[in-house]
């Protein structure tokens, strides 16, 4: 016997939820393996994240070289700042297609998200004209604003919606890849205004090479396979 610490999970999944995760993963995995090149060319994902004026360094970023006789360094615990900006990022295997920064005092509801999809569609046709001749595979999570009045908009825009199982951030490329690395890069940095946050975040995404985005999207196949192997449990790596 050995004593183990609890492992944090987004939520404790029920048997039915785990079964649904397996079924959805199998369906999506079959789409990928039928024609990987076509799938990853057409796949677009979107998600939101808060970007704070100050994000504390991670424990890994706080590491210091020490002599073997010395103990670990000490550091005062810090928390995220109250000031923050909501970034909605649309991206694919080639890079970021559109970023929306939510104005102060507004919330993302059905109407706002529907209008945002229209703005995104303009950018999609400008940056990915080839997808105008073939349906984009559009992936989003099950947030209330995404579900409300959006389905008709997606149909009118000519997108094919990719199913996403509820309570599955580990199967969304933004959550398991794009946003964690962004937050790590911002760790320890401090911004005075929302404009500074917007400028630095946009600059970060623009400097990344295409291979970065391609690797993140293609890692979805591994995640889906792992989810099936774990019988629907959360995928950590």
């Amino acid at each position: 016997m050995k004593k183990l610490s609890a492992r944090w999970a987004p939520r404790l999944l029920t048997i039915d939820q785990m079964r649904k995760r397996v079924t959805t993963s199998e369906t999506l995995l079959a789409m990928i393996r039928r024609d990987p090149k076509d799938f990853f060319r057409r796949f677009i994902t979107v998600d939101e994240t808060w970007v704070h004026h100050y994000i504390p360094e991670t424990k890994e970023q706080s590491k210091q070289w020490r002599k073997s006789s010395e103990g670990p360094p000490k550091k005062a615990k810090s928390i995220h700042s109250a000031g923050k900006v909501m970034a909605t990022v649309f991206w694919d295997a080639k890079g970021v297609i559109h970023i929306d920064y939510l104005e102060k005092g507004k919330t993302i509801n059905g109407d706002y998200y529907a209008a945002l999809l229209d703005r995104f569609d303009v950018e999609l046709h400008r940056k990915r004209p080839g997808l105008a001749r073939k349906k984009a595979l559009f992936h989003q999570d099950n947030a209330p604003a995404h579900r409300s009045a959006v389905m008709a908009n997606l149909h009118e825009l000519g997108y094919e919606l990719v199913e996403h199982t509820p309570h599955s951030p580990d199967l969304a490329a933004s959550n398991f890849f794009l946003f964690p690395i962004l937050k790590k890069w911002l760790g320890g940095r401090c911004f005075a205004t929302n404009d500074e946050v917007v400028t630095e975040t946009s600059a970060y995404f623009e400097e990344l090479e295409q291979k970065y985005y391609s690797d993140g999207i293609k890692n979805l196949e591994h995640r889906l396979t792992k989810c099936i192997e774990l019988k629907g449990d959360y995928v950590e790596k």
Side-chain angles (χ1 to χ4, degrees):
M1 299 290 290
K2 58 181 178 179
K3 195 172 186 180
L4 300 175
S5 299
R7 176 171 59 88
W8 290 110
R11 67 177 294 135
L12 297 179
L13 296 168
T14 66
I15 297 298
D16 287 340
Q17 288 169 339
M18 294 172 72
R19 187 180 296 117
K20 178 63 175 175
R21 279 167 52 87
V22 170
T23 301
T24 303
S25 296
E26 289 174 340
T27 301
L28 191 52
L29 199 57
M31 291 176 62
I32 294 174
R33 292 175 175 173
R34 188 160 51 243
D35 191 340
K37 184 176 181 181
D38 180 70
F39 179 91
F40 291 119
R41 184 179 71 84
R42 296 164 56 202
F43 185 82
I44 297 169
T45 187
V46 59
D47 212 334
E48 300 89 10
T49 188
W50 285 111
V51 184
H52 292 257
H53 287 198
Y54 173 73
I55 298 176
E57 286 184 332
T58 63
K59 289 181 68 175
E60 183 180 357
Q61 289 175 305
S62 300
K63 285 182 177 179
Q64 298 177 15
W65 288 104
R66 311 278 284 190
K67 294 180 179 179
S68 57
S69 58
E70 296 178 320
K74 292 183 179 180
K75 185 177 181 180
K77 187 175 182 179
S78 56
I79 60 174
H80 291 73
S81 64
K84 56 186 179 181
V85 178
M86 173 70 81
T88 303
V89 185
F90 298 79
W91 63 291
D92 65 0
K94 291 185 177 180
V96 170
I97 300 172
H98 181 63
I99 306 179
D100 175 78
Y101 296 99
L102 191 66
E103 296 179 21
K104 187 177 180 179
K106 289 189 176 183
T107 57
I108 296 183
N109 54 28
D111 292 336
Y112 185 94
Y113 189 64
L116 176 56
L117 282 176
D118 290 332
R119 297 196 297 274
F120 160 71
D121 189 61
V122 173
E123 289 298 300
L124 178 65
H125 282 74
R126 184 175 71 85
K127 295 182 177 180
R128 308 286 189 272
L131 285 180
R133 298 187 295 274
K134 199 166 187 178
K135 279 189 176 182
L137 298 173
F138 193 79
H139 175 264
Q140 60 183 14
D141 64 18
N142 297 284
H146 296 174
R147 299 195 310 264
S148 57
V150 175
M151 298 307 299
N153 293 62
L154 293 175
H155 180 72
E156 291 175 4
L157 294 171
Y159 302 161
E160 180 180 344
L161 186 63
V162 175
E163 185 178 5
H164 180 75
T165 310
H167 318 303
S168 299
D170 59 322
L171 302 180
S174 294
N175 288 310
F176 70 69
F177 180 77
L178 191 69
F179 294 156
I181 299 177
L182 167 66
K183 301 296 179 63
K184 185 176 180 180
W185 181 77
L186 291 172
R189 304 184 64 181
C190 187
F191 304 105
T193 66
N194 286 352
D195 288 340
E196 288 185 14
V197 173
V198 170
T199 299
E200 289 299 317
T201 303
S202 297
Y204 168 78
F205 287 126
E206 289 174 1
E207 291 175 0
L208 297 174
E209 297 180 355
Q210 179 178 325
K211 187 178 183 301
Y212 172 89
Y213 296 101
S214 177
D215 289 345
I217 293 292
K218 289 180 178 179
N219 194 29
L220 178 62
E221 182 176 3
H222 164 74
R223 289 258 169 173
L224 296 171
T225 303
K226 194 72 175 177
C227 179
I228 296 169
E229 293 175 353
L230 294 173
K231 295 181 173 54
D233 201 359
Y234 282 116
V235 181
E236 294 188 29
K237 294 182 180 180

